[in-house]
Amino acid sequence: MPDVQSMVLEFVNKLRKRKIEGSQATARCTVELLRSVISHHRVPHHANQASALIDAVKAVGAQLVAANPVELAVGNVVRRVLHIIREEDLSLATAAVAGLDLLDASDDDEDVNGKGIGYTAMSAAVVAAAARSTLRPPSLQTLLEGTPESATVPYTSSSGADSESKTADKSSITRKLKHDVIEGVNQLIHEIAGCHEQIAEQAIEHIHQNEVILTLGSSRTVLEFLCAAKEKKRSFRVFVAEGAPRYQGHLLAKELVARGLQTTVITDSAVFAMISRVNMVIIGAHAVMANGGVIGPVGVNMAALAAKKHAVPFVVLAGSHKLCPLYPHNPEVLLNELRSPSELLDFGEFSDCLDFGSGSGSPLLQVVNPTFDYVPPSLVSLFITDTGGHIPSYMYRLIADYYSADDLVM
């Protein structure tokens, strides 16, 4: 599939060069690419269809994750697609088992007359395979190929016809699995595209009249959430911490004012001084970890500590594509990256400080400019996702519904 391979390489380059801004855009582009990979993938007749699709998606997913490890949404949606493949394969296998049970019931009279000898062996093999599915669900092909040879004898009119029938059935099953997987992936794309609206619909339940809301940095999810409350005739004021050194809070403040919200910009260092006047802190997340911890814009941990100190609810908004099945201590999790020192200092003004002065091989002045902050679950009051509101202790259960344990490490 040369066209798909070129698409993969092009997207990998975009991730490496950080040309895609925002977790939602990154997640959507990733899922659309994986849909193309699945659609163009060809599997030999003798191969296991589900396993072949899983291997293909994992191979592409590993390249994408390696291109930008700090963008956890990429790995999240890759694992979501793998989970969809496993679910659809299990669904087909379950349907096949149910179909065989019905066939067994319809042939009871033949068994009494001695014409259905051997079907019991096949049924037992199917039941045993279905029992093993609780640990690792087998594909339908595994169920069929694991059937004892004697089980197929009563249903064989001729070897040629049986072979043609099996080939036709296998081809039909292959098309059905791929069709169902692509349908599931399309649903995931729709879910990612509509996550802002789904979260914003819940704003009226959490923001009340004459409240003061504090947020930090810039987040489209937070913007839509606050504006949704304004559209419901709620009157409130928003404090926006500027989010230095990139000052993303300035952009959010402009957009809020353009939508008619009363907005006050404060410095990041003024968060503790202003928190006593705040009714609720609402922030957007870069990622939500399996333990309920949050990776957000730098400075958000300070806001969480201030909220905790003054008993102010700390609410995190996050689409389901930001829910990560990994824990912060996992070695494959990269929690942060350092941005250019030029965002903090003017190299011309500080050039004398950056000289190698002592002959030690390193400059006397070091500049550290992290992108993200980590907030432990103990500081979070509530998560609001596109599926509703959840407390931190429930996040692991919510995340478990989206991912398979076999796909945590790619």
Side-chain angles (χ1 to χ4, degrees):
M1 49 182 183
D3 293 338
V4 173
Q5 188 59 35
S6 63
M7 291 169 59
V8 172
L9 294 176
E10 180 183 357
F11 189 60
V12 165
N13 288 332
K14 287 183 178 180
L15 289 176
R16 284 175 178 164
K17 296 176 181 179
R18 308 299 196 264
K19 287 187 175 181
I20 304 178
E21 286 285 338
S23 296
Q24 188 200 29
T26 305
R28 184 168 183 172
C29 291
T30 302
V31 180
E32 290 174 348
L33 175 64
L34 294 178
R35 181 179 59 183
S36 298
V37 170
I38 294 170
S39 178
H40 290 82
H41 191 68
R42 296 293 178 263
V43 182
H45 286 296
H46 64 275
N48 184 297
Q49 173 75 1
S51 296
L53 287 179
I54 288 172
D55 291 342
V57 171
K58 276 191 173 183
V60 174
Q63 296 181 60
L64 303 183
V65 171
N68 188 358
V70 79
E71 185 54 84
L72 297 177
V74 173
N76 294 343
V77 296
V78 170
R79 295 182 183 95
R80 286 285 298 273
V81 171
L82 291 171
H83 183 63
I84 290 172
I85 297 173
R86 295 183 189 278
E87 277 195 326
E88 296 301 340
D89 182 47
L90 177 60
S91 177
L92 282 177
T94 304
V97 171
L100 291 173
D101 288 342
L102 290 175
L103 184 60
D104 187 23
S106 67
D107 289 345
D108 280 344
D109 293 338
E110 294 183 8
D111 291 339
V112 172
N113 296 328
K115 297 179 181 179
I117 299 171
Y119 186 76
T120 304
M122 180 180 66
S123 179
V126 169
V127 170
R132 290 194 299 270
S133 71
T134 56
L135 295 178
R136 189 182 184 89
S139 67
L140 177 58
Q141 182 173 346
T142 302
L143 290 172
L144 295 176
E145 291 182 350
T147 301
E149 198 170 305
S150 61
T152 62
V153 174
Y155 302 95
T156 303
S157 57
S158 67
S159 59
D162 182 64
S163 176
E164 291 176 3
S165 176
K166 283 185 176 181
T167 302
D169 289 345
K170 186 178 294 185
S171 176
S172 175
I173 291 167
T174 297
R175 289 194 301 270
K176 174 66 173 170
L177 176 62
K178 183 177 288 189
H179 173 271
D180 291 349
V181 168
I182 292 176
E183 194 174 280
V185 172
N186 287 336
Q187 181 62 33
L188 176 57
I189 293 173
H190 179 73
E191 176 186 310
I192 293 172
C195 69
H196 294 315
E197 290 73 17
Q198 294 292 327
I199 294 173
E201 288 178 358
Q202 305 170 61
I204 195 67
E205 303 172 11
H206 301 279
I207 297 178
H208 305 99
Q209 192 73 8
N210 298 324
E211 285 191 332
V212 177
I213 309 299
L214 171 68
T215 187
L216 184 144
S218 179
S219 167
R220 185 188 163 192
T221 311
V222 173
L223 172 66
E224 298 298 335
F225 190 82
L226 296 175
C227 291
K230 173 69 167 56
E231 291 171 1
K232 297 296 184 180
K233 308 303 181 183
R234 292 289 165 85
S235 177
F236 57 95
R237 173 172 288 278
V238 182
F239 287 174
V240 181
E242 59 184 358
R246 299 179 66 194
Y247 300 107
Q248 294 293 304
H250 295 179
L251 301 177
L252 178 62
K254 289 180 180 178
E255 292 175 328
L256 290 173
V257 170
R259 299 274 196 105
L261 277 82
Q262 302 179 58
T263 307
T264 302
V265 177
I266 65 173
T267 62
D268 297 337
S269 56
V271 167
F272 258 101
M274 303 297 290
I275 195 67
S276 60
R277 300 174 58 186
V278 170
N279 300 106
M280 182 185 301
V281 179
I282 300 177
I283 63 116
H286 175 71
V288 178
M289 309 307 292
N291 66 335
V294 178
I295 300 176
V298 65
V300 73
N301 187 60
M302 175 181 62
L305 288 170
K308 186 76 170 181
K309 181 72 174 178
H310 290 263
V312 174
F314 186 87
V315 179
V316 178
L317 310 182
S320 58
H321 60 280
K322 294 185 178 183
L323 306 182
C324 181
L326 304 177
Y327 289 84
H329 59 264
N330 288 140
E332 60 270 20
V333 175
L334 183 61
L335 293 180
N336 222 327
E337 66 177 352
L338 300 181
R339 298 184 62 86
S340 171
S342 63
E343 294 180 348
L344 291 176
L345 300 178
D346 183 350
F347 285 145
E349 182 180 353
F350 287 85
S351 58
D352 55 334
C353 301
L354 297 172
D355 289 340
F356 292 82
S358 62
S360 61
S362 61
L364 296 177
L365 177 65
Q366 301 283 344
V367 180
V368 179
N369 184 16
T371 304
F372 302 112
D373 229 344
Y374 175 72
V375 179
S378 59
L379 299 181
V380 179
S381 305
L382 182 70
F383 287 97
I384 300 178
T385 72
D386 37 358
T387 61
H390 309 283
I391 60 176
S393 60
Y394 182 75
M395 294 309 293
Y396 83 95
R397 185 66 189 88
L398 182 65
I399 289 173
D401 292 338
Y402 289 121
Y403 305 101
S404 298
D406 293 336
D407 304 322
L408 298 186
V409 179
M410 286 184 289

